[in-house]
């Protein structure tokens, strides 16, 4: 028997081998694209089905908290409602309104955290956090308020940023009011070195900043914003997109670096009273109108699962349904 393979069979086998290699290459490229777009996909999904819609009517109620609104240490801006992170003289300002029970806020934070931290550490951007409690009013419970008060207590201890990240990294499901228990908030403080102190525990359990949190929530409702998270770069909405481009770690970094072109990175500490104001934004960005805030998902169907106030006419939120 001859060991030679007929020429026709050899050509067929070679064609089959080439075809298999091409298929492997296509599959490899497909998987690479899937991995590369994972973060963008999560945020895009959040924008389509989960951007939290809030009823933010102009007459959205006065602060009814008892006692004075005690601002946490280092709070700044109008009525001391801003919790700043980063250099006070950074060339750009990222203003973020969030609710610690908001699932889309957690998706935004968990996907963009590393990029924001990098830009803050490089002096490229200062982040101004503002807290809201819209989910408590919509779903019941007190987790938004209790968590926001605990975060303000962490601000007193100089630990707001790491505790803020811990709260979003360990966020319970939206209907679960686990953050309504001070014991859970104190337990999570154990994940931040040096935070779980008698002073912090007393601040959390006594609700030292409850009235301040409610005042912040009132400012959110009167600010013309459409929901949480509301993310503004130098007063311009960038969530869920900017100029038709979906937000992502790469896109956010590109937008900030473009805004900072030709400007020096910031170096002043957030509490430095002598630091010049950011050149491209000011504290007024935190009170931008609806035209500068995040847009709702377009839904107008009432839903008890929405993350706005418990008004039957409030737009729905698919994130909690």
């Amino acid at each position: 028997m001859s060991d030679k393979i007929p020429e026709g069979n050899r050509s067929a086998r070679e064609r089959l081998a080439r075809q298999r290699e091409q298929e492997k290459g296509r599959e490899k490229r497909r998987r690479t694209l899937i991995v590369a777009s994972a973060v963008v996909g999560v945020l895009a999904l959040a924008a389509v089905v989960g951007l939290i819609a809030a009823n933010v009517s102009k007459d959205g109620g006065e602060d009814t908290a008892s006692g004075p609104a005690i601002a946490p240490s280092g709070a700044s801006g109008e009525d001391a409602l801003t919790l700043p992170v980063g250099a006070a003289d950074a060339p750009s300002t990222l203003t973020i309104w969030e609710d610690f029970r908001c699932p889309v806020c957690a998706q935004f934070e968990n996907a963009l955290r590393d990029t924001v931290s990098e830009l803050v550490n490089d002096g490229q951007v200062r982040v101004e956090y503002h807290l809201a409690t819209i989910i408590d009013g919509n779903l019941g419970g007190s987790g938004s308020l209790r968590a926001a008060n605990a975060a303000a207590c962490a601000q007193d201890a100089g630990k707001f940023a790491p505790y803020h990240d811990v709260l979003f990294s360990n966020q319970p499901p939206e209907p679960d009011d686990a953050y309504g228990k001070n014991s859970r908030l104190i337990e999570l403080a154990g994940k931040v070195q040096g935070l779980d102190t008698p002073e912090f525990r007393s601040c959390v359990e006594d609700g030292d900043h409850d009235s301040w949190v409610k005042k912040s929530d009132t400012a959110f409702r009167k600010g013309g914003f459409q929901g949480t998270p509301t993310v503004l770069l130098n007063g311009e909405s960038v969530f869920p997109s900017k100029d038709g481009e979906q937000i992502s770690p790469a896109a956010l970094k590109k937008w900030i670096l473009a805004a900072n072109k030709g400007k020096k990175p910031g170096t002043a500490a957030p509490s430095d009273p002598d630091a010049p104001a950011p050149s491209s934004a000011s504290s007024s960005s935190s009170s931008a109108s609806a035209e500068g805030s995040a847009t709702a998902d377009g839904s107008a169907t009432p839903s008890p699962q929405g993350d706005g106030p418990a008004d039957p006419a409030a737009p729905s939120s698919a994130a909690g349904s």
Side-chain angles (χ1 to χ4, degrees):
M1 181 180 295
S2 173
D3 292 333
K4 294 183 179 180
I5 300 175
E7 187 66 28
N9 290 347
R10 182 182 295 109
S11 298
R13 290 182 181 182
E14 290 175 350
R15 287 195 300 271
L16 181 59
R18 287 196 299 270
Q19 182 178 354
R20 287 174 177 172
E21 288 299 321
Q22 291 173 352
E23 290 176 351
K24 288 180 180 179
R26 285 194 293 269
E27 178 64 17
K28 183 178 180 179
R29 289 192 294 272
R30 186 181 72 84
R31 290 179 180 178
T32 299
L33 288 173
I34 291 174
V35 172
S37 61
V39 171
V40 176
V42 168
L43 291 172
L45 180 62
V48 172
V49 303
L51 183 61
I52 311 304
N55 176 16
V56 287
S57 60
K58 297 293 182 179
D59 58 350
E62 295 295 333
D63 176 22
T64 59
S66 60
I70 302 174
S73 176
S76 62
E78 185 176 356
D79 293 330
L81 297 178
T82 299
L83 299 180
V85 174
D89 58 343
S92 282
T93 299
L94 195 66
T95 303
I96 304 177
W97 287 86
E98 295 178 314
D99 183 324
F100 285 110
R101 287 181 70 185
C102 160
V104 184
C105 296
Q107 289 177 355
F108 166 80
E109 285 292 341
N110 295 334
L112 278 294
R113 179 178 299 120
D114 290 345
T115 299
V116 173
S117 294
E118 175 190 343
L119 293 166
V120 167
N121 292 336
D122 290 344
Q124 296 293 334
V125 70
R126 162 190 174 97
V127 185
E128 296 186 344
Y129 290 99
H130 297 263
L131 306 181
T133 63
I134 57 177
I135 300 181
D136 284 356
N138 191 70
L139 296 184
S142 61
S144 299
L145 173 62
R146 300 263 46 82
N149 172 70
C153 295
Q155 171 72 15
D156 286 336
K159 305 283 186 180
F160 169 76
Y163 187 62
H164 160 277
D165 294 347
V166 165
L167 289 176
F168 278 121
S169 295
N170 293 273
Q171 185 189 73
E174 187 180 10
D176 181 356
D177 194 34
Y179 282 173
K181 298 179 180 179
N182 289 332
S183 58
R184 175 56 176 162
L185 298 170
I186 292 172
E187 177 187 358
L188 290 175
K191 295 179 178 291
V192 179
Q193 185 175 6
L195 178 57
D196 187 4
T197 63
E199 293 77 13
F200 174 79
R201 289 184 173 224
S202 175
C203 181
V204 171
E205 291 170 347
D206 294 344
D208 284 0
H209 299 297
D210 282 0
S211 293
W212 176 84
V213 172
K214 292 181 179 182
K215 188 173 183 179
S216 179
D217 182 66
T218 297
F220 171 79
R221 294 169 187 269
K222 290 185 174 181
F225 305 115
Q226 298 301 302
T228 57
T230 287
V231 185
L232 312 174
L233 174 59
N234 300 327
E236 178 185 2
S237 175
V238 295
F239 186 89
S241 62
K242 176 182 180 296
D243 298 331
E245 182 177 5
Q246 191 75 31
I247 194 170
S248 68
L252 181 62
K253 186 172 184 178
K254 179 183 69 174
W255 298 334
I256 291 176
L257 293 181
N260 294 352
K261 188 175 182 180
K263 301 175 183 177
K264 294 181 180 180
T267 58
S271 59
D272 186 349
D274 297 323
S279 59
S280 54
S282 67
S283 60
S284 62
S285 64
S286 64
S287 59
S289 65
E291 287 77 12
S293 66
T295 56
D297 61 3
S299 171
T301 305
S303 168
Q305 296 289 342
D307 291 342
D311 185 317
S316 67
S317 164
S321 59

